[in-house]
Amino acid sequence: NAGVTQTPKFRVLKTGQSMTLLCAQDMNHEYMYWYRQDPGMGLRLIHYSVGEGTTAKGEVPDGYNVSRLKKQNFLLGLESAAPSQTSVYFCASSYPGGSGHSLLNYGYTFGSGTRLTVV
Amino acid sequence: AQSVTQLDSHVSVSEGTPVLLRCNYSSSYSPSLFWYVQHPNKGLQLLLKYTSAATLVKGINGFEAEFKKSETSFHLTKPSAHMSDAAEYFCVVRSMDSSYKLIFGSGTRLLVRP
């Protein structure tokens, strides 16, 4: 089924370890986003990408890096995990671009999330 | 800058009674607004979206929301709550800068009492 796939779904890290979260979409979307969800704070944007080879910082980028080497994949890296990065991470994508699509009317597809615990 | 404020962090209703979840927005432009629902330990599901067409937007599972420009509000309602409606609800506005990112409210947790 078409959609956004996040791997892994669960992970426990020790403080200082590194890891990469993968977001893959098969809808040819241009825009991709990484959010984190913490209780009482909604979802906050970490980084985003408006196309292959581009990335930009969101609201809470510190401690994270991203890459978008292929259009369908958006990777989120934690170089040295900290307990404050314990969270649920969601990836989203939107907008296939090209003629015939209005970005303002286009929706967003979310992945099912990655629950990360840093101990 | 755009933002949304969800006025209640928790709402408790009895099954069969109306639901009202309140959201105010701030935007310099005509906004695109969304309501998402998240059931416990699940992902996000789109309930409905407003993109400057009809001001009364109907969504899934009997939910609807009314865009009121004069009040800068986009409240979510349902005539009769079901136990299955217990979840967290997010009011969301789309950013109009080049990112077109979604900006989330802090969420309202809906509790439905039997």
Side-chain angles (χ1 to χ4, degrees):
Chain A
N1 291 336
V4 175
T5 302
Q6 291 184 232
T7 52
K9 296 191 184 307
F10 303 93
R11 185 74 184 268
V12 177
L13 282 181
K14 293 182 179 180
T15 298
Q17 287 185 319
S18 63
M19 78 163 295
T20 299
L21 283 68
L22 170 64
C23 177
Q25 52 93 4
D26 58 4
M27 297 165 287
N28 202 35
H29 283 171
E30 295 286 344
Y31 291 71
M32 296 188 74
Y33 308 87
W34 274 110
Y35 288 88
R36 61 176 289 172
Q37 182 181 20
D38 302 292
M41 303 186 76
L43 276 72
R44 295 179 293 167
L45 184 66
I46 305 171
H47 286 280
Y48 66 95
S49 168
V50 300
E52 180 179 313
T54 74
T55 62
K57 294 180 180 180
E59 183 185 0
V60 288
D62 293 344
Y64 304 95
N65 56 74
V66 288
S67 65
R68 184 116 181 255
L69 299 179
K70 294 183 178 181
K71 187 176 184 178
Q72 64 267 33
N73 295 336
F74 194 29
L75 279 65
L76 178 70
L78 287 72
E79 290 188 346
S80 179
S84 60
Q85 295 177 303
T86 293
S87 188
V88 181
Y89 293 84
F90 286 98
C91 176
S93 72
S94 184
Y95 191 56
S99 61
H101 296 286
S102 168
L103 186 146
L104 291 181
N105 289 325
Y106 209 82
Y108 297 76
T109 303
F110 281 84
S112 58
T114 296
R115 185 174 296 274
L116 175 66
T117 302
V118 183
V119 298
Chain B
Q2 288 144 303
S3 65
V4 287
T5 301
Q6 293 185 244
L7 301 174
D8 306 291
S9 59
H10 294 81
V11 170
S12 180
V13 301
S14 297
E15 190 175 21
T17 65
V19 175
L20 170 63
L21 305 183
R22 300 183 296 164
C23 173
N24 286 348
Y25 71 89
S26 174
S27 176
S28 302
Y29 306 91
S30 179
S32 294
L33 294 161
F34 307 76
W35 276 98
Y36 281 84
V37 62
Q38 185 180 34
H39 288 90
N41 297 313
K42 299 292 185 182
L44 294 157
Q45 181 180 20
L46 179 66
L47 277 178
L48 50 82
K49 64 179 179 181
Y50 166 77
T51 54
S52 75
T55 56
L56 183 62
V57 183
K58 294 189 182 298
I60 61 172
N61 300 335
F63 284 94
E64 63 182 34
E66 186 171 9
F67 174 75
K68 291 187 176 180
K69 185 176 181 179
S70 61
E71 299 176 9
T72 62
S73 69
F74 189 57
H75 300 336
L76 182 71
T77 61
K78 183 174 181 178
S80 176
H82 296 163
M83 296 298 294
S84 60
D85 294 329
E88 187 150 26
Y89 292 79
F90 294 100
C91 182
V92 182
V93 64
R94 188 199 330 249
S95 172
M96 294 304 290
D97 64 24
S98 59
S99 72
Y100 294 103
K101 60 183 178 282
L102 295 180
I103 300 167
F104 284 74
S106 55
T108 298
R109 185 165 297 278
L110 177 64
L111 173 66
V112 182
R113 303 185 302 272

